[in-house]
Structures are given as C-alpha cells and as structure tokens.
Amino acid sequence: MKKFLTILAAASLFASYANAISTTSNPISITDNEETGLSTVIFQADVHCEGCKKKIEKNLAYEKGVKEIKVDIKSKTITVTFKKNRNNPEKLSAALVKLGYDNKIMIIK
C-alpha cells in the first residue's frame, strides 16, 4: 500500500509540473514589441565597475518611457527597453553622455 501511495503522489506531482510548464507564457519576440509599442536599443559604453552600473540604472530609469535597463560590465553594454512613442535611441544616448558615458548605438530592435 505504501508503494502505491508513493507512486500516486509522484504521478500527481508530475501532472501538476507538466500543467505548470504548459501554461507559462512565451518569451517576448520582436513582433510582440511592435504590438506593445516597445523598442530595445543596445549601447556600447565604457562601463567598468558596479558603481557605473548602479549610476546608469538609477538615472536612466527617470528618462521618459524607459521600462527596463540591463547593464553588462563584462561586455560593456547597456540594453534599454523603452516605449517608442515616448523616447528614441538618440535621446537615450544623449542621456548617457550627460551621465558621463560616451557611447555608441550598436543594435536597435
């Protein structure tokens, strides 16, 4: 009887796990960004420490339409997701320069 209950419990756990996997949402694609009005830009900049990362994340968040900021120290990149109708890559680049980070726009999605 113990073995039966153990097998039943394992089957129940597996079924709930499989259900959880099937109901998760898909990652956002470029077409989803077009539908939501979001755009992503990647800048190359001289980000060399945690202090730089925190400064950029804190201050760039105040720019109009900015939804997400990812600063990668290793690759020296800054990825910003923003609303296309509220901002553009050139204005975000100017905001980075104002913070003291010369940059180059690498990719716009």
Side-chain angles (χ1 to χ4, degrees):
M1 184 71 171
K2 252 184 177 178
K3 286 183 181 180
F4 175 73
L5 290 176
T6 304
I7 292 171
L8 183 62
S12 174
L13 285 172
F14 177 75
S16 63
Y17 175 74
N19 185 35
I21 290 175
S22 67
T23 58
T24 57
S25 62
N26 293 330
I28 296 174
S29 67
I30 292 172
T31 56
D32 288 339
N33 283 345
E34 290 173 4
E35 291 172 6
T36 61
L38 296 177
S39 185
T40 301
V41 61
I42 300 174
F43 299 97
Q44 185 77 40
D46 189 22
V47 182
H48 59 276
C49 66
E50 278 296 316
C52 294
K53 179 178 178 178
K54 288 179 183 178
K55 180 179 179 181
I56 292 167
E57 289 173 342
K58 179 183 175 184
N59 291 289
L60 212 55
Y62 290 106
E63 293 297 315
K64 290 180 182 179
V66 171
K67 294 295 177 189
E68 185 178 21
I69 306 160
K70 293 181 184 175
V71 179
D72 188 342
I73 297 170
K74 284 185 179 181
S75 66
K76 296 186 181 290
T77 59
I78 304 164
T79 305
V80 182
T81 302
F82 62 96
K83 288 185 176 183
K84 290 189 279 188
N85 64 344
R86 304 268 305 172
N87 217 323
N88 63 51
E90 291 75 21
K91 288 180 183 177
L92 293 170
S93 177
L96 285 169
V97 169
K98 189 174 179 180
L99 290 173
Y101 298 96
D102 291 329
N103 61 81
K104 180 180 175 185
I105 298 173
M106 302 299 291
I107 299 171
I108 302 172
K109 296 181 189 175

